[in-house]
Amino acid sequence: MNYILPSDIQEILPQQKPFVMVDSLLHFDMTKTVTRFEVKSDCLFVSDGRLSSSGVIENIAQTCAARIGYINKYILKKEIAAGMIGAVKDLEIYKSPHVGDVVTTEVEVKEEVFGIVLVVARAYIDETLIAEG
């Protein structure tokens, strides 16, 4: 199935500026979601020109939020709802992005049971893996 991507990421995110950590949705299907985020100097999680580990984690969380937001708005025709991360396991952050870097983040659904979704997440700068878990 082909899914139409929203032109404004705010349509599917519960987060509001200045707390938005994704710029656009690059890909959506029921098992994989991919977002883009350019690190800017005014980002809440930037210090000394680098995105903090917390910022990388929030970017991954908001990629998950974009997935469920897309499902709610465009598939289920429901309101966008806030969610939560129940647990983080085996997260490794290999590199902190600099201001100006473009982070591409993907979440892949491994299992979904009773509304709980287990995903594997990976974040990249170009082809370089910067975080996974």
Side-chain angles (χ1 to χ4, degrees):
M1 177 177 229
N2 289 330
Y3 295 96
I4 307 267
L5 302 179
S7 59
D8 182 1
I9 194 73
Q10 291 289 164
E11 292 180 22
I12 59 173
L13 286 180
Q15 293 85 357
Q16 298 297 309
K17 292 181 181 180
F19 200 67
V20 176
M21 301 294 295
V22 293
D23 297 327
S24 59
L25 182 63
L26 300 178
H27 174 84
F28 171 86
D29 64 39
M30 293 304 287
T31 57
K32 186 175 180 180
T33 303
V34 182
T35 61
R36 176 191 186 280
F37 175 62
E38 181 180 347
V39 180
K40 298 200 169 64
S41 61
D42 63 350
C43 173
L44 295 174
F45 293 100
V46 168
S47 178
D48 297 324
R50 297 185 83 107
L51 185 66
S52 69
S53 295
S54 297
V56 173
I57 293 167
E58 185 60 30
N59 169 260
I60 292 169
Q62 288 190 27
T63 299
C64 293
R67 176 187 180 274
I68 194 65
Y70 189 99
I71 291 169
N72 282 340
K73 180 169 179 135
Y74 295 109
I75 297 172
L76 300 176
K77 308 293 187 202
K78 294 171 39 177
E79 295 292 318
I80 304 305
M84 69 170 153
I85 303 296
V88 176
K89 183 177 179 186
D90 300 327
L91 179 66
E92 296 283 342
I93 298 176
Y94 306 114
K95 181 179 178 183
S96 297
H98 290 90
V99 168
D101 284 341
V102 173
V103 178
T104 303
T105 304
E106 62 184 45
V107 293
E108 183 178 352
V109 175
K110 293 300 180 184
E111 193 170 350
E112 190 166 0
V113 179
F114 301 118
I116 297 172
V117 182
L118 174 64
V119 301
V120 172
R122 293 179 187 91
Y124 300 87
I125 298 171
D126 298 319
E127 300 297 317
T128 302
L129 181 66
I130 65 162
E132 64 183 332

